[in-house]
Amino acid sequence: MNIDIYVFVTLLVLGYVFGRLAEKKHFKSIIEREKKYKDLLTFSERLPPPGMNNTDAELVGGSVVISVDYFKRIVAGLRSIVGGRLTTYESLLERARREAILRMKEAAIDKGAIMVINVKLETSSITKGKGQQIGSVEVYAYGTALSPIAV
Amino acid sequence: MLVTNIEIIPGKRVTTHLGMVQGNTVRSKHAGRDIMAGLKNIFGGELVGYTELLQESREEATARMVQQAKEIGANAVINVRYSTSSVTAGAAELFAYGTAVIIE
């Protein structure tokens, strides 16, 4: 009985400390890389802007699977009793989406692209823990990279 | 083979539409990855093993779609979409589909 409580509290503390550190670090790296790649524009437009006809088109994509930590899961579980915003999951999905877009941009830059159009984001939860709680989400970002044809 | 997710290929004209082509794959994770994922479920963070697994599967689904397009004589696939669904616990289906066309 007592051991159960110790294990629970330890997991909670570990989840809080490491989860928070990991999230901070991840957001820092996301912001840095977003600045680095800001010249590569991404659009959700379906068609290329006028005058962009002389380009090579290629499909690029980036994906990431991110897991929520123990502390956040417990907080979200408590929160869903009273309802309302689950901020802990909001930040998880935001991280995942921004990371997926950044990876797509990296793939586009590798191909020498100048813009990515028709960007689509797809989200799926792949693992579900006990009681159907979402453990981790996968986000896949894909689009068409346009790069100038080498003359 | 050109693959895009827009309806046109910039600067090229589509001469023939050959209909829809598709490719799918169902993958399951293995135990080793599952243990690591279990740990990550406590600490939070990226599940690198899963990211790789899904990326590989998606590439395979795309390759199968491209293969099908080649068999019917297409030289490009346009309007490609991806979709993911979980069939059973611990397995995911990756599905890619698009329109096979011949461009000049």
Side-chain angles (χ1 to χ4, degrees), chain A residues 11 15 19 46 53 55 57-59 63 65 67-70 73 103 118 122 126-127 138 140 142-144, chain B residues 2-7 10-11 29 40-47 50-51 54-55 58 80-84:
Chain A
L11 287 179
R46 264 179 29 243
N53 274 336
T55 49
E58 199 166 354
L59 196 67
S63 75
V65 182
S67 168
V68 72
D69 62 59
Y70 195 79
R73 195 169 312 145
R103 289 193 182 171
N118 201 19
E122 200 208 327
I126 32 169
T127 47
E138 196 231 0
Y140 184 57
Y142 61 105
T144 300
Chain B
L2 276 164
V3 181
T4 69
N5 74 338
I6 51 179
E7 293 101 83
K29 56 204 182 190
K40 273 284 168 73
N41 273 333
I42 296 166
F43 300 121
E46 189 189 341
L47 306 176
Y50 281 6
T51 308
L54 284 158
Q55 195 59 39
R58 205 165 264 128
V80 173
R81 296 280 181 276
Y82 286 103
S83 103
T84 319

Side-chain angles (χ1 to χ4, degrees), chain A residues 127, chain B residues 27-41 47-57:
Chain A
T127 47
Chain B
R27 289 284 188 99
S28 163
K29 56 204 182 190
H30 67 72
R33 277 173 171 160
D34 231 15
I35 291 165
M36 280 306 292
L39 281 176
K40 273 284 168 73
N41 273 333
L47 306 176
V48 184
Y50 281 6
T51 308
E52 278 166 13
L53 176 77
L54 284 158
Q55 195 59 39
E56 276 166 25
S57 322

Side-chain angles (χ1 to χ4, degrees), chain A residues 6-7 38 73 91 99 101-102 118 142:
Chain A
Y6 286 136
V7 169
K38 72 175 191 300
R73 195 169 312 145
S91 73
E99 178 72 37
I101 291 174
L102 280 170
N118 201 19
Y142 61 105

